Amino acid sequence: MNFRTRFAPSPTGPLHLGHAFSALTAFDLAREAGGTFLLRIEDIDRTRARAQWEAQIYEDLHWLGLDWPEPVRRQSDHTDAYMAALEDLWARGLLYPCSCRRRDIVAAASAPQEGGEPAVGPDGLVYPGTCRPETPPRGQMPRDEALRIDMRRALDVVGKDINFFEVGAGPDGESGLIEVSPEALIEGVGDVVLSRRDFPGSYHLSVVVDDAQQEISDVVRGQDLFEATQIHVLLQHLLGYLVPRYHHHRLVRDEAGRRLAKRDNDRAIATFRAEGCTPAQIRDMLGLETAPGGAA
Ligand code: GLU
């Protein structure tokens, strides 16, 4: 498989050093492998996505010395593809509608239980199963409700070991062939949302459909998404997609050891640019080699 990777930011704020590290790492790996680097705009959060931030993503990445084939895939243009995947999972009895609000989930998950503290997964509190039906729902897939995956049923349907190949390293140094444990998916991840009330898809669903449709061979992303990767690999098995290789990379942290977030405006690429910093200095700050040929 030819090396094809992508950088997939959400246009909900300025790119910071952590994004630059991810984008440059993916770009450099693609260049080394003689492969392709794609840019994808993950704009399913319609309340927070802004054209202004999207425009700045292009500007910042070009300034860093990156280029990519056009047109850029924007998730909001591909709701049909997400709907088709959801319909497939619905028809197989793997989804159910959920009308719980966040506070209902907090209340149900925090109720005294045998196991002690409520489990927290990649999407926050593990869903306590309030809306999960005994038998799979039939009929038309609802369009105006959140849809959750029935994790136990999904694992039964896959019916075999779920694994992926880690080329980088997980947060605890995990590398090589990673076996995804069904217990970890049930207890530690649970019935995550695959379709939101306001958008036909969720991060997990759309990222998996996009990576398959864009024929991504290597997903390069931060270690903060390592836990979510197990959900993606499960979905790839369910939907009959190829499982890409994963390259989780270290996170860029501030002086206090915290992972950078969008609110860290002082570490925004635009701020460094405005202060007269060069792309080569950004690479240097991030411990990345200068691009050959002086491109950076
Ligand atoms: N859009 C995600 C983010 O900004 C990353 C997507 C991915 O690598 O799967 O964190």
Side-chain angles (χ1 to χ4, degrees), residues 6 8-10 19 40 42 203 207 219-221 225 232 262:
R6 80 312 191 268
S10 301
H19 295 105
R40 177 165 82 220
E42 302 215 324
Y203 162 63
V207 87
V219 173
V220 179
R221 55 159 63 139
L225 291 173
H232 304 169
K262 291 245 159 86

Side-chain angles (χ1 to χ4, degrees), residues 13-70:
L15 296 186
H16 55 58
L17 279 181
H19 295 105
F21 183 73
S22 204
L24 289 165
T25 302
F27 184 80
D28 290 356
L29 286 169
R31 192 182 41 204
E32 271 164 35
T36 309
F37 167 85
L38 302 177
L39 174 65
R40 177 165 82 220
I41 300 294
E42 302 215 324
D43 60 348
I44 65 169
D45 188 343
R46 306 307 295 149
T47 55
R48 291 169 60 224
R50 298 275 179 280
Q52 163 215 346
W53 296 126
E54 185 177 329
Q56 198 170 322
I57 288 173
Y58 301 136
E59 236 183 82
D60 287 346
L61 295 180
H62 280 312
W63 177 79
L64 282 169
L66 308 192
D67 51 47
W68 50 85
E70 299 283 347

